[in-house]
Amino acid sequence: MKQEHFTAQAAPTKKNLSPTISPFRYKHLAIVIGLTATIASPTAFSQNDAADGGFNFRAEPRHWYIGGNYGRTIESIDDGAIANAIIGGGLTGIEDEESDRGYKFFVGYQFTHHFALEAGYADLGDFGVRVARAPEAGTLTGDTSYKGYNLDAVGTWPLTERLSAFGRVGAFRYETEENFIGTESLAASLSRDDNDTGYKFGAGLEYSFNERLSARIEAERYRIEDMLGDNGSVNLYSLGLVYRFGDRAAPPPAKEKDPVVAQQEYCSKLEIQFEINRADIPRAETERLNAAGAFLKKYPDTKAVIEGHTDNVGSSQSNMQLSQRRADSVLQYLVGQQIDASRISTLARGEEEPVGSNDTDAGKRENRRINTTIDCVNDVAGLSLPEARITIAALVEFDAHSVAVDERYHADLEKAANYLRDNPNVTAHVEGHAADLPSLQKAQEISEQRAANVVDYLVEKFAVDRTRLTAEGFGKTRRVAYNTTEEGKQKNRRVNIVLNYSN
């Protein structure tokens, strides 16, 4: 509730315009000086490093503190409008004393590293004005003072180990004392006591000398209301000191250090190549995917990013979609290995990031891929995985329209047979493929016959148990090269022997 009291006064013959500091203000200024002298004592400046058991306000945010500031104030009030209202208009000259000395003192509580509340008292000074109205004789002089109590929320942002920036916003409950005295023809005089509430805000820097004592430089604006009900302001630019309280507990006893064990960095990366225009995972790559899944299981805090890629055959839009499907198939495979899908993200790159030349079949094959990047970890034991094992035991190529196993691959098939004999827990899946046959049905038949002939060769020549072998034909649906060249057709006329490992 706003309260005002006006009283008429006799006009004296002289009035000193310069503002004066009342005994009340001297008393409170003495308190501020006394606080400053106390907190600047040798005890406050003693070394209080946290390592020696001292109180560190950055490490222990909950604490009380006190402080005080002293500086310069500048008021922004429309004194001309006020004077015109008093003398009835016709103002012709004005001399305005709009600057004075001000001070404040406060107590605060630091809740966190970044937030505190402060309550305090501020005296913003006395301001004077002298006005005249021609051609009449006489002058009107006045002085105004503002002082009151505030409650601020203060936010702090550390800049360095010792320097912090802070901002504040709050409420200011203030008392305004105004006295206007006129002479001769401007003899209208009055005084006013006004209690009101405004808001305030400001910002500054704080430098810590040690854990207890710091200095501040800041600028604040106090919003006030003049006698006409208009908004004005008083700015306070000040320097101050802050003293922080806290228990100076002895440091806790040093814990016995655990023995240092050497750790190594373990990383897992995965790259898989795909067949032309296919997004399903080649059977030969599942062993490496299983190893990646084992890594993710052992280190549950790691995450994986899967990027899908294509060659440049086809439109950019269809390649982008194909690259996304390739990344998604790897994601689904890992989810099937009980890896949480939230740990895996996918990115479609399309044909934008080739690693090989798209002018050759070999380069295009390198570009039809996914790259999987998995977080690295530091561990003592690391991850025990099976030794590197063969996944494609043999690759057999065929002449056009032929299903006969060429003798140049007999040695490779013998090696595959020996591996199967030495590892009885391993089975083999024989995949047949075709290339440039005009009929899809004919291509399917030839691919199945090629796979069956390789199985028969392993059984008849090397006595491999037929129950450990399976044959499947894919026709010309799973190309590894384009049929635009004879070399590409030759690579597509093939049989892959893919090994499967049981646990």
Side-chain angles (χ1 to χ4, degrees), residues 337-349:
Q337 301 293 308
Q338 288 75 53
I339 307 300
D340 191 337
S342 64
R343 297 170 57 195
I344 307 171
S345 58
T346 61
L347 293 173
R349 299 299 191 191

Side-chain angles (χ1 to χ4, degrees), residues 120-290:
Y121 175 85
D123 190 325
L124 303 181
D126 290 336
F127 309 100
V129 64
R130 183 196 303 270
V131 301
R133 182 177 63 187
E136 301 173 353
T139 60
L140 178 70
T141 59
D143 63 81
T144 306
S145 64
Y146 304 97
K147 53 183 175 288
Y149 300 89
N150 65 280
L151 179 64
D152 294 354
V154 182
T156 304
W157 299 268
L159 302 177
T160 67
E161 183 179 354
R162 293 180 177 270
L163 183 65
S164 299
F166 64 89
R168 66 172 68 246
V169 62
F172 182 49
R173 181 65 179 175
Y174 62 92
E175 177 186 1
T176 303
E177 294 182 1
E178 290 184 289
N179 294 286
F180 290 89
I181 301 175
T183 64
E184 300 181 23
S185 63
L186 300 182
S189 301
L190 58 85
S191 66
R192 181 178 75 115
D193 292 330
D194 183 6
N195 294 293
D196 205 349
T197 301
Y199 66 91
K200 63 184 292 277
F201 56 90
L205 296 173
E206 180 173 337
Y207 182 83
S208 302
F209 298 111
N210 53 45
E211 286 80 2
R212 292 193 183 276
L213 184 66
S214 58
R216 284 182 177 179
I217 179 171
E218 61 181 307
E220 299 171 275
R221 172 161 289 186
Y222 295 76
R223 296 293 287 176
I224 55 92
E225 191 174 282
D226 64 25
M227 65 179 299
L228 299 181
D230 296 329
N231 287 326
S233 62
V234 178
N235 296 336
L236 173 60
Y237 306 96
S238 60
L239 295 172
L241 291 174
V242 179
Y243 182 78
R244 300 180 181 273
F245 298 93
D247 295 332
R248 298 174 55 76
K255 293 182 180 180
E256 185 176 345
K257 293 184 179 180
D258 295 331
V260 177
V261 181
Q263 294 189 347
Q264 293 183 2
E265 187 178 59
Y266 294 87
C267 302
S268 179
K269 294 183 181 294
L270 178 67
E271 181 172 314
I272 294 176
Q273 292 181 354
F274 288 79
E275 295 165 349
I276 294 173
N277 204 31
R278 303 286 296 191
D280 49 326
I281 297 170
R283 195 186 307 268
E285 304 289 3
T286 57
E287 188 67 23
R288 287 196 291 162
L289 266 174
N290 292 338

Side-chain angles (χ1 to χ4, degrees), residues 178-488:
E178 290 184 289
N179 294 286
F180 290 89
I181 301 175
T183 64
E184 300 181 23
S185 63
L186 300 182
S189 301
L190 58 85
S191 66
R192 181 178 75 115
D193 292 330
D194 183 6
N195 294 293
D196 205 349
T197 301
Y199 66 91
K200 63 184 292 277
F201 56 90
L205 296 173
E206 180 173 337
Y207 182 83
S208 302
F209 298 111
N210 53 45
E211 286 80 2
R212 292 193 183 276
L213 184 66
S214 58
R216 284 182 177 179
I217 179 171
E218 61 181 307
E220 299 171 275
R221 172 161 289 186
Y222 295 76
R223 296 293 287 176
I224 55 92
E225 191 174 282
D226 64 25
M227 65 179 299
L228 299 181
D230 296 329
N231 287 326
S233 62
V234 178
N235 296 336
L236 173 60
Y237 306 96
S238 60
L239 295 172
L241 291 174
V242 179
Y243 182 78
R244 300 180 181 273
F245 298 93
D247 295 332
R248 298 174 55 76
K255 293 182 180 180
E256 185 176 345
K257 293 184 179 180
D258 295 331
V260 177
V261 181
Q263 294 189 347
Q264 293 183 2
E265 187 178 59
Y266 294 87
C267 302
S268 179
K269 294 183 181 294
L270 178 67
E271 181 172 314
I272 294 176
Q273 292 181 354
F274 288 79
E275 295 165 349
I276 294 173
N277 204 31
R278 303 286 296 191
D280 49 326
I281 297 170
R283 195 186 307 268
E285 304 289 3
T286 57
E287 188 67 23
R288 287 196 291 162
L289 266 174
N290 292 338
F295 186 94
L296 290 165
K297 285 181 183 178
K298 179 174 173 86
Y299 303 108
D301 293 332
T302 57
K303 294 184 178 181
V305 179
I306 303 170
E307 295 185 357
H309 303 268
T310 69
D311 57 29
N312 68 344
V313 177
S315 68
S316 297
Q317 181 179 1
S318 63
N319 284 337
M320 189 65 71
Q321 294 170 349
L322 177 59
S323 67
Q324 183 65 59
R325 293 199 304 272
R326 286 172 173 168
D328 289 342
S329 0
V330 174
L331 183 149
Q332 293 304 320
Y333 188 94
L334 292 174
V335 169
Q337 301 293 308
Q338 288 75 53
I339 307 300
D340 191 337
S342 64
R343 297 170 57 195
I344 307 171
S345 58
T346 61
L347 293 173
R349 299 299 191 191
E351 60 189 69
E352 297 174 354
E353 298 180 3
V355 293
S357 171
N358 280 312
D359 295 331
T360 65
D361 283 342
K364 290 176 181 176
R365 191 179 309 116
E366 292 178 358
N367 295 332
R368 297 190 299 269
R369 72 196 191 281
I370 62 95
N371 299 106
T372 302
T373 302
I374 304 175
D375 296 339
C376 294
V377 297
N378 289 313
D379 196 357
V380 176
L383 178 64
S384 297
L385 292 174
E387 295 180 1
R389 301 183 293 188
I390 302 172
T391 52
I392 297 182
L395 174 64
V396 180
E397 293 183 349
F398 292 79
D399 294 331
H401 308 287
S402 174
V403 295
V405 179
D406 194 290
E407 64 178 9
R408 69 181 184 272
Y409 297 106
H410 290 178
D412 291 337
L413 290 173
E414 184 178 3
K415 291 179 182 178
N418 292 337
Y419 188 87
L420 287 167
R421 185 185 62 248
D422 295 339
N423 297 274
N425 64 321
V426 176
T427 60
H429 188 76
V430 182
E431 301 177 343
H433 304 271
D436 53 341
L437 296 171
S439 166
L440 294 177
Q441 182 178 354
K442 186 64 175 177
Q444 181 66 29
E445 292 173 356
I446 286 184
S447 67
E448 291 175 356
Q449 188 61 55
R450 286 170 175 169
N453 287 351
V454 170
V455 168
D456 291 341
Y457 186 87
L458 292 172
V459 172
E460 296 169 4
K461 295 292 184 181
F462 306 109
V464 176
D465 187 350
R466 189 179 290 273
T467 62
R468 299 172 60 193
L469 303 172
T470 56
E472 184 177 6
F474 292 96
K476 56 180 181 179
T477 61
R478 296 193 173 186
R479 294 170 294 160
V480 294
Y482 289 96
N483 287 323
T484 54
T485 65
E486 187 58 38
E487 181 185 3

Side-chain angles (χ1 to χ4, degrees), residues 14-83:
K14 290 186 178 181
K15 170 75 176 174
N16 184 6
L17 180 63
S18 300
T20 59
I21 301 179
S22 66
F24 179 80
R25 293 186 65 216
Y26 275 124
K27 176 182 177 181
H28 286 82
L29 183 58
I31 294 175
V32 175
I33 296 173
L35 285 172
T36 303
T38 300
I39 62 180
S41 65
T43 302
F45 279 101
S46 62
Q47 293 298 317
N48 300 321
D49 292 338
D52 298 329
F55 176 74
N56 186 333
F57 74 89
R58 290 195 189 281
E60 302 291 341
R62 288 187 170 271
H63 62 273
W64 291 93
Y65 61 90
I66 61 172
N69 285 42
Y70 185 77
R72 200 73 180 170
T73 56
I74 299 177
E75 59 95 0
S76 178
I77 303 294
D78 192 349
D79 292 311
I82 297 173

